[in-house]
Amino acid sequence: MRMTDLIAKKRDGGVLDTEEIRFMIRGYTDGSIPDYQMSAMCMAILLRGMDDREVLDLTMSMMHSGEVLDLSPIEGVKADKHSTGGVGDKTSLVLCPMVSACGLKVAKMSGRGLGHTGGTIDKLESIPGFSTSLTEEQFFDNVNRHGIAIIGQTADLAPADKKLYALRDVTGTVPSIPLIVSSVMSKKLASGADVIVLDVKCGDGAFMKSPEDAEELARSLTRIGRLAGRKCAAIITDMDQPLGFAVGNALEVEEAIRVLSGQEEGDLLELCLVLGSCMLTEAGFAASDGEAREMLLDAVRSGRALDKLAEMVEAQGGDPEALRHPGRLPQAAYRYEVPSRVTGTVSRIHAEAVGLVSMKLGGGRATKTDTIDPAVGVVLQRKLGDPVQAGDSLATVYASDPDRGAEAVALLHDCFEFSDGPVARPPFIRKIVRD
Ligand code: URA
């Protein structure tokens, strides 16, 4: 078999068979197929597409390019979630303890972030003492004992995806549905959960700009998950502003605590209730979304959801008291308000730009080796549709040095747009995809 022939076949609109796809992924992972041939193939796939069988074969080949976790030593139904990315996205910190408090097992591997703010692992590591690197035995044991553990993704999980994603990033081939689906699902399937829910972001700053494309991606993700024998659901959410209020690692942990203790409502809680309902119904723990929602709200109101987060933190070496007394989390030395220059209604908050401000404060990485400052970031004081008077604070900046703080204040002014009249928001949750 020759890679040149496979590239030409896909270029001319052909359908690759199972053996051809296996050959391609095996060869690319072991280095016998070079980057230039694989980039040509990625572009051919982006332009010509793939049918479901091809996407499933590609996903399975990438999944089997490295370690495949067998979660069978963990009793019960194991659930996982994935988000296609978003600024201020601390969903896992809220959702995982909520569903675990309802009896689902959460054995989750998460990544670090590159750009914007950190990933779930960086956020959790802002809790003093918290360890995200457990042995497999400790990981399974913690989930069996406490119902939940979140650790860093091992280097050997879907290595074909690691290589391919880096290649796609620099060859204009990221926004291809077959390539996104195989990338996401190879990792999720290798992580071993029975139930997988996916949060597909739509809009400016998301991979999928239009609702139609987001729906096509969501349907393809769930179809491939089901064909691979897992229970799967996806929801499509708008990314027209940061999720919740906080953007920055320890600040996002504080926000997660507020939501889990019932002190904050809004888009973040709503997202977790909808994703959590999908998880509980797919797992057969609830007969309807309404029943699942009540179970989740009860976990929050009773304090069980926050207790579950504290239990996980303690089991992974962290200080559970930091959740009851957030002053124990890393604190920034300087705080600045961003006073509005106008009176009106907030009509837009550029999510990506807010993420970049947090990154410049030190809350995210520009390169893989950068270290993160867990204390810094931005907390929005106004969200889309909120009225504002000139002089009101739009956001608070948390900085570790005054120069970066002043720069962040100046940049944040440009992240907001205003209108004179009321602002209608499209529904935040656009669609739930279950078939
Ligand atoms: N997230 C992934 O893991 N892979 C993609 O291709 C896109 C988003």
Side-chain angles (χ1 to χ4, degrees):
M1 214 177 279
R2 293 188 330 150
M3 185 65 175
T4 328
D5 301 328
L6 305 191
I7 296 168
K9 186 173 180 184
K10 185 45 78 183
R11 178 200 64 202
D12 297 337
V15 175
L16 300 174
D17 68 31
T18 304
E19 261 324 299
E20 289 169 333
I21 289 173
R22 284 190 189 150
F23 165 83
M24 170 174 99
I25 293 302
R26 210 181 304 123
Y28 187 56
T29 311
D30 70 21
S32 55
I33 292 175
D35 278 349
Y36 58 83
Q37 285 192 315
M38 200 64 204
S39 5
M41 176 59 89
C42 286
M43 188 55 82
I45 293 172
L46 181 138
L47 295 172
R48 290 296 196 169
M50 278 183 147
D51 67 21
D52 276 354
R53 204 229 72 247
E54 289 177 289
V55 180
L56 182 63
D57 283 337
L58 184 58
T59 306
M60 299 308 270
S61 298
M62 286 164 64
M63 165 188 170
H64 288 291
S65 66
E67 183 190 10
V68 174
L69 231 67
D70 171 12
L71 297 186
S72 59
I74 299 171
E75 296 138 28
V77 184
K78 280 78 73 178
D80 197 358
K81 63 99 31 182
H82 180 83
S83 157
T84 59
V87 175
D89 192 346
K90 69 286 287 175
T91 312
S92 294
L93 303 183
V94 180
L95 173 69
C96 296
M98 264 164 83
V99 296
S100 174
C102 294
L104 269 178
K105 295 287 170 66
V106 179
K108 185 162 177 55
M109 287 199 180
S110 276
R112 293 183 190 279
L114 184 64
H116 299 322
T117 49
T120 300
I121 291 302
D122 300 303
K123 292 168 197 179
L124 283 169
E125 284 180 351
S126 71
I127 301 170
F130 192 88
S131 167
T132 56
S133 42
L134 305 182
T135 63
E136 193 172 292
E137 200 186 332
Q138 287 170 327
F139 180 50
F140 287 0
D141 195 46
N142 277 16
V143 182
N144 268 330
R145 278 170 197 258
H146 307 287
I148 181 169
I150 304 180
I151 60 168
Q153 203 167 289
T154 64
D156 199 35
L157 197 84
D161 176 60
K162 231 161 253 126
K163 236 181 135 178
L164 252 178
Y165 195 83
L167 185 73
R168 288 166 55 212
D169 212 19
V170 292
T171 54
T173 50
V174 169
S176 146
I177 287 179
L179 295 177
I180 296 175
V181 171
S182 52
S183 165
V184 169
M185 293 311 284
S186 61
K187 290 173 288 203
K188 290 290 115 182
L189 295 175
S191 305
D194 310 302
V195 174
I196 302 166
V197 297
L198 302 135
D199 176 12
V200 176
K201 304 286 184 194
C202 165
D204 211 27
F207 291 115
M208 297 293 124
K209 311 281 177 217
S210 73
E212 294 75 25
D213 286 348
E215 184 166 344
E216 198 184 329
L217 174 60
R219 290 199 185 280
S220 182
L221 285 162
T222 51
R223 267 200 318 275
I224 295 302
R226 279 163 197 246
L227 286 170
R230 313 294 168 94
K231 307 247 187 209
C232 240
I235 71 171
I236 300 169
T237 54
D238 237 16
M239 211 186 107
D240 54 2
Q241 62 178 339
L243 184 62
F245 294 89
V247 182
N249 298 284
L251 295 168
E252 293 189 40
V253 171
E254 275 196 50
E255 182 172 18
I257 295 167
R258 284 198 299 280
V259 174
L260 282 171
S261 53
Q263 295 169 49
E264 180 183 307
E265 294 186 348
D267 53 4
L268 174 59
L269 175 65
E270 187 55 29
L271 177 60
C272 293
L273 289 171
V274 174
L275 285 168
S277 299
C278 287
M279 278 180 166
L280 292 175
T281 50
E282 290 293 327
F285 280 40
S288 66
D289 284 343
E291 188 188 329
R293 197 179 171 92
E294 273 314 306
M295 288 167 71
L296 294 161
L297 283 169
D298 184 57
V300 171
R301 290 187 196 121
S302 64
R304 282 183 294 117
L306 184 60
D307 287 347
K308 191 50 85 177
L309 179 64
E311 195 180 332
M312 176 185 85
V313 165
E314 188 164 18
Q316 294 188 224
D319 175 10
E321 284 305 304
L323 305 185
R324 313 278 171 207
H325 309 284
R328 290 195 182 198
L329 293 169
Q331 301 290 316
Y334 301 93
R335 279 183 196 196
Y336 305 92
E337 299 304 323
V338 183
S340 177
R341 293 170 178 150
V342 298
T343 293
T345 307
V346 178
S347 60
R348 187 142 188 224
I349 305 176
H350 294 267
E352 292 240 352
V354 175
L356 208 62
V357 172
S358 177
M359 193 187 97
K360 286 188 171 178
L361 284 164
R365 294 183 187 81
T367 70
K368 273 189 200 167
T369 49
D370 286 353
T371 49
I372 277 193
D373 183 342
V376 301
V378 175
V379 176
L380 301 175
Q381 305 297 344
R382 292 289 188 280
K383 296 225 18 181
L384 224 74
D386 285 349
V388 56
Q389 299 286 321
D392 285 353
S393 178
L394 296 172
T396 309
V397 168
Y398 293 77
S400 290
D401 84 74
D403 288 346
R404 287 213 219 180
E407 185 195 18
V409 170
L411 290 170
L412 275 167
H413 278 292
D414 296 333
C415 295
F416 284 81
E417 286 180 28
F418 303 90
S419 123
D420 289 334
V423 173
R425 262 201 85 188
F428 164 62
I429 295 184
R430 284 182 176 264
K431 200 160 218 157
I432 302 178
V433 173
R434 287 202 153 110
D435 47 17

